[in-house]
């Protein structure tokens, strides 16, 4: 095992302990851990089969056989929420990956040494960022139909553009720094500069924006599914559970309460996770991280400790 791997593991352990020591970080880790466990369990077991319906027991209140009641078809609400957790988890994870990749690609173009390329990239991002996520989903649903892929695609495009716009100032500051100029003069290409120097400088921004993207994708899935351009009718998701019960919210409010509560808890956990990770992974804000290994480049340069 190399010294670099030991240092990396030590830094990860410090970040994890710091997040756990704070109330918001502990809540986020517990909720996200529970979400992951439920999603894994639902692959093998749910209280009732998903396709099991009972026309004589529709809109039932919670009971021993149906812990959270039944919906309008007599299906078990808890079973559909458990199965939907893996769909929403996959949507959130794919949205983070795709929006992060698109955002970093646009950031690299926006801070390019080519003035023309950078100017065109900024103009394109400013022009496209005003397009609502719903409109992007509608455009994608026309050729591809309603599916989880439409939700991921729409959210990735919209959130990737927003990430690029928010991260551009910090990335531009790093791109114009002396150590980046030195790296370029030593033959480092644009991709190497982006990965080794610019991305570490915008990590706090990435942590917050990507966690917000994950949380917002859960809300977007619920809204787009309600509009009919999100997850298909036969696919379990939290948005599907909301869409099938919201029409009778005044008569049977409990069937809307449970999926709404689950969505709220998940979105809050994702947003708090990003904030906690930003604070715990920043050596300036987290003194314990400074002794876990060599200070990263973006912290060594230009801090008050070095002056």
């Amino acid at each position: 095992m190399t010294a670099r791997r030991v240092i990396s593991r030590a830094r990860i352990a410090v970040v994890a302990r710091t997040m756990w020591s704070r109330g918001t970080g502990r809540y986020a880790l517990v909720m996200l851990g529970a979400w992951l466990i439920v999603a894994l369990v639902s692959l093998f077991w749910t209280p009732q089969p998903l396709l099991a319906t009972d026309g004589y027991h529709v809109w039932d209140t919670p009971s021993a056989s149906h812990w959270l009641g039944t919906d309008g078809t007599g299906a078990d609400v808890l079973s559909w929420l458990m199965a939907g957790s893996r769909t929403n988890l996959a949507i959130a994870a794919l949205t983070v990956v795709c929006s992060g990749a698109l955002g970093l690609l646009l950031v690299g173009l926006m801070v390019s040494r080519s003035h023309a390329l950078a100017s065109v990239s900024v103009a394109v991002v400013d022009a496209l960022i005003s397009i609502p996520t719903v409109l992007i989903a509608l455009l994608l649903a026309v050729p591809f139909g309603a599916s989880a892929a439409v939700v991921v695609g729409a959210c990735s495009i919209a959130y990737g553009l927003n990430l690029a716009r928010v991260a551009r100032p910090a990335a531009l500051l790093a791109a114009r720094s002396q150590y980046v100029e030195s790296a370029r003069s030593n033959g480092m290409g644009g991709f190497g500069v982006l990965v080794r120097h610019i991305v570490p400088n915008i990590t706090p921004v990435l942590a917050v924006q990507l966690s917000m993207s994950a949380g917002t994708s859960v809300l977007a899935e619920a809204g787009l599914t309600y509009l009919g351009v999100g997850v298909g009718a036969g696919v379990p998701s939290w948005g599907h559970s909301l869409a099938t019960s919201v029409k009778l919210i005044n008569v049977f409010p409990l069937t809307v309460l449970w999926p709404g509560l689950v969505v709220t808890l998940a979105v809050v956990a994702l947003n708090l996770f990003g904030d906690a990770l930003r604070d715990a992974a920043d050596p300036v804000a987290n003194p314990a991280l400074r002794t876990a290994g060599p200070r990263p480049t973006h912290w060594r340069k230009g801090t008050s400790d070095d002056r």
Side-chain angles (χ1 to χ4, degrees):
M1 184 180 299
T2 64
R4 179 174 295 181
R5 290 184 179 180
V6 173
I7 293 172
S8 178
R9 291 186 179 182
R11 295 176 65 84
I12 293 174
V14 170
V15 170
R17 286 197 300 269
T18 303
M19 293 180 65
W20 184 258
S21 65
R22 300 174 182 177
T24 55
R26 187 180 298 114
Y27 167 81
L29 292 174
V30 169
M31 291 303 303
L32 295 181
W35 185 1
L36 180 59
I37 291 173
V38 170
L40 293 175
V41 170
S42 69
L43 293 172
F44 310 100
W45 176 85
T46 54
Q48 300 289 338
L50 291 181
L51 300 180
T53 58
D54 187 353
Y56 296 99
H57 296 87
V58 297
W59 305 114
D60 270 3
T61 56
S63 61
S65 56
H66 301 285
W67 297 347
L68 298 183
T70 61
D71 60 15
T73 63
D76 185 63
V77 172
L78 178 58
S79 298
W80 275 82
L81 288 179
M82 290 181 62
S85 65
R86 62 177 183 260
T87 302
N88 284 88
L89 182 61
I91 290 175
L94 289 174
T95 298
V96 168
V97 173
C98 295
S99 64
L102 177 60
L104 290 178
L105 174 62
L106 293 174
V107 166
L109 296 176
M110 294 167 73
V111 300
S112 173
R113 300 182 70 181
S114 172
H115 180 71
L117 179 60
S119 300
V120 171
S121 302
V122 172
V124 170
V125 170
D126 290 341
L128 296 181
I129 202 170
S130 60
I131 302 177
T133 306
V134 175
L135 181 57
I136 299 176
L138 291 173
L139 294 175
L140 293 176
V142 172
F144 301 109
S147 65
V150 170
V151 179
V152 173
C155 292
S156 299
I157 294 173
Y159 305 155
L161 292 170
N162 185 70
L163 172 62
R165 185 184 66 171
V166 173
R168 178 176 176 266
L172 192 60
L173 185 63
R176 293 177 177 176
S177 62
Q178 293 182 354
Y179 56 89
V180 168
E181 292 297 331
S182 176
R184 291 185 186 277
S185 63
N186 289 328
M188 182 176 292
F191 180 77
V193 169
L194 177 66
V195 173
R196 298 191 60 181
H197 297 290
I198 294 180
V199 171
N201 277 274
I202 62 175
T203 296
V205 178
L206 291 178
V208 175
Q209 291 299 316
L210 291 179
S211 65
M212 290 180 61
S213 297
T216 311
S217 69
V218 176
L219 296 176
E221 184 276 322
L224 293 175
T225 301
Y226 177 77
L227 294 175
V229 295
V231 175
V235 180
S237 71
W238 295 339
H240 177 269
S241 298
L242 281 170
T244 56
S245 57
V246 71
K247 297 178 181 179
L248 297 176
I249 186 174
N250 294 328
V251 183
F252 305 103
L254 282 180
T255 55
V256 183
L257 172 65
W258 302 124
L261 180 62
V262 169
V263 169
T264 302
L265 293 175
V267 172
V268 171
L270 288 169
N271 290 338
L272 292 179
F273 178 82
D275 293 336
L277 180 61
R278 175 197 59 193
D279 296 336
D282 187 358
V284 177
N286 184 9
L289 198 61
R290 304 175 193 175
T291 59
R295 295 178 293 180
T297 302
H298 71 282
W299 186 70
R300 290 200 301 267
K301 305 292 183 179
T303 62
S304 58
D305 291 342
D306 293 326
R307 291 192 297 268

